[in-house]
Each structure stands twice: as C-alpha cells, then as structure tokens.
C-alpha cells in the first residue's frame, strides 16, 4: 500500500516537473522567436532610413595581436546564431569584436564538444577520431567549418577561454587533447595554445542534479526507467528523427553525427533508437553521463593542469540557511518555473545504500555547482548559479 502511494507520488512529481520544464523550454524558445520577429520588423521599418546612411562599419582589424576570448556554453546552451538574437552570455559577445561564441550542441558529450570546438576555431571538417566514433556508434566526421573562426590559432596566437558550467570542462578536455596532439594533421598542437581558462560555475566535479533528473547514482551512466531524462531522451530522438530543418537551425541538440533523421534510418531506425539500441543515449555519448560525479571522475583522471596557463574559477552560491534548513536564497533571484527544482536540489542527499562515487567522498566536499539558466533581458545577466551551501551536511 505504502509502495503504491510512493509510486503515485513519484509519478505526480514527474508530471509536474516535466510540465514545468517543457513550459520553461517553450518560454525560452518563444523569447527567441519574439526577439527575432521584433528585430525583423524594426529592420523593415528602418530600411529606408538606413539606405541613405553611409556604411560606417570599420574594416575588421585582424592585425591587432590581442588574443580572442571564446565563450563556451553549458548544457542546453547554444552559441551565436541559434535561438535568434537570444544570447546565452547576456550579450557579452556584443561588447567586443574578439569575443567568439561557438555553438557546440546542447546535449552532446564533453568529448564531442571539445572536438567540435577545435574545428570551429581552426576550420575544416570536425573529426571525432576513429576509435571514439566506432565505439560510440556515430560518424567519424561531422560538420564542416568552411572558415575557421581563428585559423591562425597556435602557440604564438593562443586563446582565452571562458566556460560556463559544463563548458568549463569542455575547455579542459580540449587543452588536454592539444597537449596529447590528438588532432590528425595538426601535429604541432600543445597545451600552450590555451592562454587562460576561466570557469563560471564550472561543473568540474559534476553535479548531483543529474541524479535528480534521472541518472542512476549507482553507476552514473544509466537512466532510471521512469524519469525526466527518459522523457527528454524520447523528445530528443523524435526531434532529430523528424529533422525539420528550420527548427533545427533554430535549436539543435547537436546529434547530427548520429544520423537519426528519418531520411537516413527510416521508421525502424526510430524504433531502434527509442528501444535504446542505437543513438547517443545507447552508447552514453551525451552530456548527462559526463556530468555525474562518476563521469567527472572518469574525465578528470586524464586531465592535467599546465604551468603556462592561467586558471580562474568563479564559484557561485544561491542558497542560504534558515533555521538549519538550506533553501534557495531568494524567490526573486530564481525563475519561478524553476523554483521547485531548486528546492529539490537543496534537499538532495546521496543515497545511503549506494557506495560513494570515489574514495574519500564526503557529501560536503562534492558540492556541485548547480546552475540555473535564465535568459536575459536588458542589462541583467543570463546566468544564475547555485551552489549548495557548504554546510549542507547530512
Ligand atoms: C551517417 O550518414 C553518412 C552519410 O550521410 C555516412 O557517411 C555515415 O557513415 C553515417 N554514419 C553512421 C554512423 O551511420
Ligand atoms: C611545427 O613546428 C616546427 C617547429 O616548432 C616547425 O618547423 C614546423 O613547420 C611546424 N609544422 C607545422 C605544420 O606547422
Ligand atoms: C573533486 O573530486 C576529486 C575526486 O575525483 C576529489 O578528490 C576532490 O576533493 C573533489 N573536489 C572538490 C572541490 O570537491
């Protein structure tokens, strides 16, 4: 009887959280569309005036030697050109010519993102590496960047990287790849191609939010049978299978190299993906497994810090303690649609019957930098970050 009750409660919770997350996604999406429409309208309106004006744009000054700044988005993030005029980084890219905002797919794995980022900067066709693509069941070659965004990139022309959330981990993995000379045809890469790495709420040690959404705390790889991520998985597979090009230009999960379009795999391919026999969710080559604590341990195992690189990490906290209970720090600082999830995050406890993800794991030391993404309006910032309170011990 009690079991049944718990089950119903879980279903109800799932129902509420999926509705909320869907609404939130739709809200971001429509903000993008609305922004685009109003831009188009005002362009239309001002066209006649603009015509008379002499074009004042300065020629692009490529000779200045200041290194570019590359902003790397996190999970569900997007780069310049997606979601219309919406900016993930609160318009930071509009402040300077040298700021680049790559689009690395919103759910692709840290590894795939790092590969993509290299070719975005250098130019050419993304090469995910033979071994990795065979083991993960996707094409070895991906998108083609006709023109690199910083083709001169090398040891003498290094780059500043700023990563938010999972984006911070992407840059570290990329730096390791450069040090390992992991890009075919680029035998001269080194860790010194990276001048600095700045993390904004970087999820270097993973986040416990992944378990709330449905990753199994036992292994950090598989999904619970009924959870928000399962719904997300089905949604993403269908989105990619339908392959509606205008929609995909607008927002892309980044799984094109998995060939999930109906044009390529037909109806049986869809069934295969849904049953979990093919696609990113079958091989675990997507971002959620990388963001679990276990996933981060796996990634961090191969990563080094390098003496010539500057590292900065900005941790953030959006909780406080009231009478011994950790709660979100303010109601106004967090989007109302996300408030329940944030409340759940503050209450999360590592299941006592599950062995800790690594030796020496202490609940407080692993405090995740959980973040909430909020689009920005005017001068206000996009990103609200949440770190569980340090004193939120068992
Ligand atoms: C995906 O499709 C392309 C051609 O459109 C093909 O070259 C590639 O091998 C396919 N990849 C997989 C993993 O099936
Ligand atoms: C690699 O570096 C060496 C010396 O550092 C240089 O002689 C060579 O031209 C470089 N190769 C490429 C492909 O840039
Ligand atoms: C991050 O994880 C490692 C284990 O992989 C652990 O030794 C370290 O203390 C953790 N750091 C923080 C800040 O929790």
């Amino acid at each position: 009887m009690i079991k049944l009750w718990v089950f119903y409660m879980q279903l109800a919770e799932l129902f509420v959280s999926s509705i909320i997350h869907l609404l939130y996604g739709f809200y971001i999406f429509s903000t993008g569309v609305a922004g685009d429409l109003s831009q188009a309208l005002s362009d239309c309106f001002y066209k006649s005036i603009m015509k008379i004006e002499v074009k004042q744009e300065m020629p692009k000054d490529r000779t200045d030697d200041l290194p570019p700044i590359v902003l790397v988005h996190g999970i569900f993030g997007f780069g310049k050109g997606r979601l219309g005029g919406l900016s993930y980084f609160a318009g930071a890219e509009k402040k300077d010519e040298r700021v680049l905002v790559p689009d690395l797919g919103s759910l692709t794995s840290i590894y795939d993102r790092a590969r993509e980022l290299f070719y975005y900067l250098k130019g050419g066709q993304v090469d995910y590496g033979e071994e990795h693509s065979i083991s993960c069941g996707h094409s070895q070659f991906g998108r083609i960047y006709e023109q690199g965004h910083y083709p001169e990139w090398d040891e003498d022309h290094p780059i500043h990287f700023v990563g938010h959330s999972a984006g911070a981990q992407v840059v570290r993995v990329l730096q390791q790849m450069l040090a390992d000379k992991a890009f075919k045809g680029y035998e001269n890469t080194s860790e010194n191609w990276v001048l600095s790495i700045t993390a904004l709420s970087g999820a270097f040690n993973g986040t416990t939010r992944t378990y709330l959404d449905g990753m199994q705390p036992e292994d950090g790889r598989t999904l619970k049978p009924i959870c928000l991520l399962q719904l997300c998985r089905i949604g993403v597979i269908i989105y990619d299978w339908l392959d509606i090009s205008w929609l995909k230009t607008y927002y892309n999960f980044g799984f094109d190299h998995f060939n999930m379009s109906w044009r390529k795999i037909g109806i049986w391919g869809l069934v295969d993906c849904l049953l979990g026999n093919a696609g990113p969710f079958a091989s675990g080559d997507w971002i959620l497994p990388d963001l679990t604590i276990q996933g981060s341990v796996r990634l961090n195992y191969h990563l080094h810090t390098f003496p010539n690189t500057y590292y900065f990490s900005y941790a953030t906290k959006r909780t406080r303690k009231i009478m011994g209970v950790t709660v979100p720090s303010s109601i106004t600082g967090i989007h109302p649609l996300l408030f329940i999830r944030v409340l759940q995050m503050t209450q999360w406890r590592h299941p006592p019957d599950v062995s800790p993800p690594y030796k020496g794991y202490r609940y407080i030391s692993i405090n995740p930098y959980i973040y909430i993404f909020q689009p920005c309006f005017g001068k206000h910032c996009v990103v609200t970050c949440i770190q569980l309170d340090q004193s939120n011990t068992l």
Side-chain angles (χ1 to χ4, degrees):
M1 190 65 204
I2 289 180
K3 263 197 177 152
L4 208 63
W5 170 245
V6 170
F7 180 68
Y8 280 137
M9 283 307 286
Q10 278 170 348
L11 275 193
E13 194 272 338
L14 178 61
F15 180 74
V16 172
S17 65
S18 44
I19 294 289
I20 286 178
H21 284 85
L22 262 179
L23 272 178
Y24 191 70
F26 185 71
Y27 154 72
I28 306 255
F29 192 85
S30 42
T31 311
V33 176
D36 250 17
L37 282 180
S38 73
Q39 182 68 41
L41 278 179
S42 73
D43 278 0
C44 232
F45 189 72
Y46 286 115
K47 219 174 215 162
S48 47
I49 307 168
M50 291 294 270
K51 248 188 256 162
I52 318 162
E53 269 177 35
V54 186
K55 228 181 170 209
Q56 280 260 333
E57 222 173 279
M58 300 282 281
K60 251 196 179 164
D61 190 7
R62 271 298 190 189
T63 51
D64 71 16
D65 266 349
L66 288 171
I69 300 164
V70 179
L71 308 180
V72 185
H73 64 74
I75 184 172
F76 283 112
F78 49 89
K80 207 173 185 168
R82 300 271 181 215
L83 279 179
L86 211 59
S87 165
Y88 184 86
F89 285 97
E93 65 271 33
K94 286 162 201 143
K95 299 235 189 289
D96 198 301
E97 275 270 294
R98 290 171 300 121
V99 179
L100 300 170
V101 193
D103 181 82
L104 305 177
S106 70
L107 283 177
T108 37
S109 65
I110 302 267
Y111 176 96
D112 285 0
R113 287 171 184 228
R115 303 298 294 187
E116 179 107 23
L117 181 51
F118 178 85
Y119 294 96
Y120 165 91
L121 292 164
K122 254 333 215 182
Q125 182 167 29
V126 180
D127 180 354
Y128 293 104
E130 194 179 347
E131 203 183 320
H132 169 88
S133 26
I134 290 174
S135 78
C136 293
H138 61 66
S139 310
Q140 182 182 345
F141 298 100
R143 183 166 161 183
I144 298 167
Y145 291 95
E146 308 272 351
Q147 172 72 45
H149 287 78
Y150 193 56
E152 55 269 60
W153 188 27
D154 61 17
E155 205 165 307
D156 302 320
H157 303 86
I159 294 181
H160 292 296
F161 286 94
V162 178
H164 169 238
S165 182
Q169 191 75 316
V170 171
V171 182
R172 286 204 69 200
V173 169
L174 173 60
Q175 187 182 28
Q176 189 63 51
M177 286 173 178
L178 294 170
D180 295 341
K181 311 196 187 310
F183 296 94
K184 219 171 173 184
Y186 297 93
E187 270 66 36
N188 272 3
T189 62
S190 82
E191 62 274 20
N192 298 330
W193 288 31
V194 177
L195 188 53
S196 76
I197 299 180
T198 303
L200 309 174
S201 306
F204 292 125
N205 260 9
T207 158
T208 48
R209 169 154 191 190
T210 52
Y211 308 119
L212 271 175
D213 290 340
M215 296 305 296
Q216 299 272 25
E218 285 82 357
D219 60 6
R221 258 182 212 276
T222 50
L223 291 182
K224 291 173 188 160
I226 301 174
C227 63
L228 190 63
L229 288 177
Q230 287 285 8
L231 296 180
C232 167
R233 180 182 82 92
I234 294 167
V236 170
I237 290 172
I238 293 174
Y239 187 92
D240 265 42
W241 188 77
L242 289 176
D243 196 14
I244 302 165
S245 64
W246 69 268
L247 211 56
K248 283 185 81 173
T249 336
Y250 224 69
Y251 191 79
N252 200 326
F253 295 106
F255 291 135
D256 290 343
H257 52 311
F258 279 93
N259 287 0
M260 292 199 288
S261 162
W262 60 272
R263 281 172 251 262
K264 288 187 178 158
I265 59 171
I267 187 86
W268 289 113
L270 173 65
V271 174
D272 233 22
C273 285
L274 289 174
L275 287 178
N277 301 325
F281 308 103
S283 57
D285 193 28
W286 63 305
I287 198 156
L288 259 293
D290 288 342
L291 282 178
T292 59
I293 300 171
Q294 293 93 333
S296 318
V297 172
R298 282 193 293 271
L299 282 171
N300 288 336
Y301 184 74
H302 302 284
L303 297 182
H304 294 95
T305 44
F306 298 97
N308 296 333
T309 306
Y310 296 92
Y311 296 92
F312 306 90
S313 180
Y314 294 95
T316 42
K317 176 179 140 174
R318 292 290 252 158
T319 54
R320 67 172 162 182
K321 222 164 182 172
I322 297 178
M323 294 193 294
V325 185
T326 307
V327 293
S329 56
S330 79
I331 292 193
T332 49
I334 290 162
H335 194 278
L337 280 176
L338 297 173
F339 196 80
I340 300 180
R341 199 38 136 217
V342 175
L343 204 62
Q344 287 173 311
M345 285 185 227
T346 61
Q347 303 309 313
W348 194 85
R349 297 284 180 278
H350 190 265
D353 53 330
V354 174
S355 64
Y358 59 85
K359 201 165 164 277
Y361 171 89
R362 281 188 310 137
Y363 181 66
I364 71 161
S365 77
I366 203 69
N367 263 334
Y369 303 106
I370 297 172
Y371 75 97
I372 296 292
F373 166 74
Q374 299 186 314
C376 70
F377 299 101
K379 278 193 209 132
H380 295 283
C381 221
V382 207
V383 184
T384 311
C385 306
I386 295 183
Q387 187 194 359
L388 293 188
D389 198 306
Q390 279 292 318
S391 53
N392 184 12
T393 42
L394 286 166

